[in-house]
Amino acid sequence: MTKTKLGFWSIVLLAINSIIGSGIFLTPGSVVSMVGTKAPLTYFFAAIFASILAITFAAAAKYVNKSGAAYSYAKAAYGENMGFYMGVVRFFSASVAWGVMAVGVIRTTFSIFGWNQSFGNITLGFVVLMLIIMVINMMGRRIFTIINDLSTVGKLGALALIIIAGVIILLKTGENHFNELNHLTDSTGKSLIPAFTTSGFVMAVISAFYAFTGFEAVATGSEDMKDPEKNLPRAIPLAILVIAIVYICTIAVAMMVNPAAMVTTKQVVALVAIFHNKVLQDVILVGAIISMFGINVASSFHTPRVLEAMANENQVPQFIAQRTKRNFPLVSFIITLVLAVGIPMAFQYNLPTIIVISATVRFFEFIVIPLGVIRFYRGTNREKILPAHKNFFTDVILPILSVVITLFLLMRYDWISEFSINRAGHLMPNWFAIFGMVFGFVILPLILFWLTRRERAENDERVK
């Protein structure tokens, strides 16, 4: 029987569902606080950057259709060692992203019920949430389909409700508060929106970019798509265009209705604060929670399997690939769980900071993979690839542009403030955050590399 493959529009819908997640619910408040009225422009630039990168990843997918996405691309382009490092860093990045979404679910749930969001309470909520997700994982694939469908309805419904309700308010009142952002001050008369700087705008773009992440995983299943070399480079940018329109409309409406609330609110889902109707607020919050919970479950399913896939290829210790009698990857799940909980704890559950770090960690693959695509085009890859049709624009021009943009963002990134704590007006190093990044980029790869080498040496001794 011929296996049915995803056509062009199915790929578009898959991409939309993969990208719209917790980002649009968690980032608007911090983005508006950084750049004020330039927030819609920030999301526009983030969308352009995401589109360029998405086409580049789609180009990689036509040369390598193995599971693992960035890990498989790097391994094919540069060889086993770079594949190993990319796999570990990608795993770390995905684990942090899962942690971000978990914090979002917990804090949003707490805000609905009016519970105290102390460090201890959030930590307890973390443990309970992860236990629930573990149980769901052990229940099998069918439950994932149900949660994914509910997640899709929840997130699209919540965003549509925000836009429609906002437009109705604007039409009824005839008032537009968009430009009030430029005049907002605190109790001391200090402007709530900082003066525009290139560095500040870049930080805002990186924060907004988090709302578009997920495109890099769409091409993972390219072997199940019809003509992926033609459809992916067209479908993913189209999906991002649709998402960008929804995002920008959502942000613009919110800023016209009640921009002050977005900047001053303590709500995790800042978009909720623009409305005064409690029922409307609760409906939007429930939609946001359903969306974030669904993405949490999906992340808990996919992320451990990145490490498991590496174990199956003998890239990391093979004991990590062990499964329970119910076919659950318990070892890789626990390792993922430790990272997903540990990194947010290191950042004191500060969502804007964790979001920026999560997006920044991904920038490593946003340099390595585009350069790998160029290697595929030139035929200098280290492992065998598919005989795909080569395109100079998608395989060379856009990858170069991806690298240039990524390097620019990294150079303008405010590293000092992101890895510091403000105490009594003085910046002090945040050693927990610094250690978290060092652990992900250096210590974790070294530990897994050492364990793998030792395991291989032991296996060689047994053969002798």
Side-chain angles (χ1 to χ4, degrees), residues 16-30:
I16 292 174
N17 198 33
S18 299
I19 296 170
I20 297 181
S22 60
I24 187 57
F25 296 107
L26 300 179
T27 61
S30 61

Side-chain angles (χ1 to χ4, degrees), residues 252-269:
V253 167
M255 292 172 68
M256 286 188 281
V257 172
N258 194 349
M262 293 187 69
V263 177
T264 60
T265 183
K266 299 299 180 184
Q267 286 267 19
V268 178
V269 181

Side-chain angles (χ1 to χ4, degrees), residues 3 24 40 143 183 187 352:
K3 187 176 180 179
I24 187 57
I143 193 70
H183 309 291
S187 57

Side-chain angles (χ1 to χ4, degrees), residues 103-111 117 122 268 349-351:
V103 173
V105 169
I106 295 163
R107 294 189 64 178
T108 303
T109 303
F110 278 30
S111 67
Q117 296 188 34
I122 293 178
V268 178
Y349 301 121
N350 185 316
L351 273 177

